Amino acid sequence: MSSSDSAPIRVLVVDDDAGARKLHGHYVSRAPGFAVTATVGTGRAAVQHSLRGDVDLVLLDMRLPDVSGIEVLNRLRTVREASPDVLVISSSRDQVTVRQALAARVIGYLVKPFTEQALHARLASYRDERRDAAAAAREMTLGQGEIDRLQSTGRIDLRAPARAERDQADAALPKGISEVTLSAVLSALDPVAPLSAVELAQRCEISRATARRYLDHLVETGAIDLAHRYGKRGRPEVLYRLVPPPAG
């Protein structure tokens, strides 16, 4: 086993409740092969710590006082090329939140309250999968393109296949559009009942500006239709709905 394999997996605990942060940090510190790097109580602090490059895994609550856990996931996936893995720890069980989190390819979704044994089981599974992925990366056969890139730059991409696929999908999207948030927006939209940008932002727990950016992208690609809702006064409100699938 290499020194990198024997090094502890560095964990950031994110929860708005100080008692929960302390408890979950204690759980992690007692898990073999893991070490707590920090505990924070806001989404912005979570992003700042995660982007330093010294965090491997984030234990992320969905209900935070400044930005939602979904927004934290979006920022981690779009700001930094190699973002840390995320295990959701949340009391939120509604379908929208769960679907959005799973669409972000988190390693798991653990509902609070949970026992130390339950968390340790999830962490042990993650540790084993991470070790197996690292071993597979060391043993993989290189293609000609990878050999040429290694010769010219001295490095190749040895990330786990799931992360490489996710990054390739993000790279194919326009700048500022993340596959994670795009999936969440599409899941919130409906071919029958239209939504306004404000309603969509509330449902996806993102800012209005972010909602409009994704809606504009979907309009350009022809994935959604526009309609207007006229009130008693003022400009009509723009509504959005998915383009219905072709008949038959």
Side-chain angles (χ1 to χ4, degrees):
M1 183 177 290
S2 68
S3 58
S4 61
D5 290 333
S6 59
I9 296 172
R10 302 163 298 181
V11 181
L12 172 67
V13 179
V14 184
D15 200 297
D16 66 331
D17 183 86
R21 290 198 303 272
K22 183 177 180 180
L23 179 64
H24 298 157
H26 178 66
Y27 286 173
V28 172
S29 67
R30 289 165 55 90
F34 292 84
V36 177
T37 61
T39 63
V40 298
T42 66
R44 291 187 179 88
V47 174
Q48 291 173 356
H49 276 269
S50 298
L51 298 183
R52 292 177 181 176
D54 60 352
V55 173
D56 302 309
L57 177 65
V58 179
L59 267 58
L60 179 64
D61 189 15
M62 290 287 99
R63 298 179 178 178
L64 299 171
D66 49 353
V67 297
S68 70
I70 296 299
E71 185 71 13
V72 172
L73 281 170
N74 177 48
R75 295 183 186 183
L76 292 181
R77 300 305 189 231
T78 56
V79 174
R80 188 166 179 261
E81 180 182 357
S83 59
D85 293 316
V86 176
L87 170 64
V88 173
I89 49 171
S90 178
S91 58
S92 298
R93 303 188 185 193
D94 62 280
Q95 187 179 74
V96 172
T97 299
V98 174
R99 289 177 64 183
Q100 289 176 349
L102 296 181
R105 295 190 178 94
V106 296
I107 68 163
Y109 197 111
L110 193 57
V111 177
K112 295 193 296 186
F114 48 81
T115 64
E116 181 176 6
Q117 291 74 18
L119 178 60
H120 282 189
R122 297 296 181 100
L123 294 178
S125 178
Y126 168 71
R127 180 195 61 215
D128 293 342
E129 290 175 1
R130 179 184 173 93
R131 181 185 58 215
D132 292 344
R138 288 193 298 269
E139 297 171 1
M140 76 176 187
T141 301
L142 301 182
Q144 184 63 55
E146 292 166 324
I147 294 174
D148 293 342
R149 186 159 56 251
L150 179 61
Q151 183 180 12
S152 62
T153 66
R155 64 182 295 273
I156 56 174
D157 190 353
L158 294 180
R159 291 169 295 171
R163 177 171 292 176
E165 290 175 5
R166 181 190 67 212
D167 290 347
Q168 289 172 2
D170 281 344
L173 294 171
K175 184 177 181 180
I177 301 295
S178 161
E179 183 190 11
V180 173
T181 305
L182 185 61
S183 297
V185 168
L186 288 170
S187 297
L189 290 167
D190 187 85
V192 177
L195 292 176
S196 68
V198 173
E199 292 168 334
L200 179 70
Q202 294 173 342
R203 185 168 296 187
C204 294
E205 295 185 312
I206 57 179
S207 67
R208 296 182 186 182
T210 299
R212 290 193 177 92
R213 181 167 71 249
Y214 281 82
L215 289 169
D216 289 343
H217 168 71
L218 291 172
V219 169
E220 291 176 1
T221 60
I224 58 177
D225 281 335
L226 295 180
H228 294 86
R229 179 163 57 198
Y230 292 87
K232 294 182 179 179
R233 60 182 181 178
R235 293 186 297 178
E237 185 176 27
V238 181
L239 301 176
Y240 304 85
R241 69 182 182 93
L242 288 175
V243 174

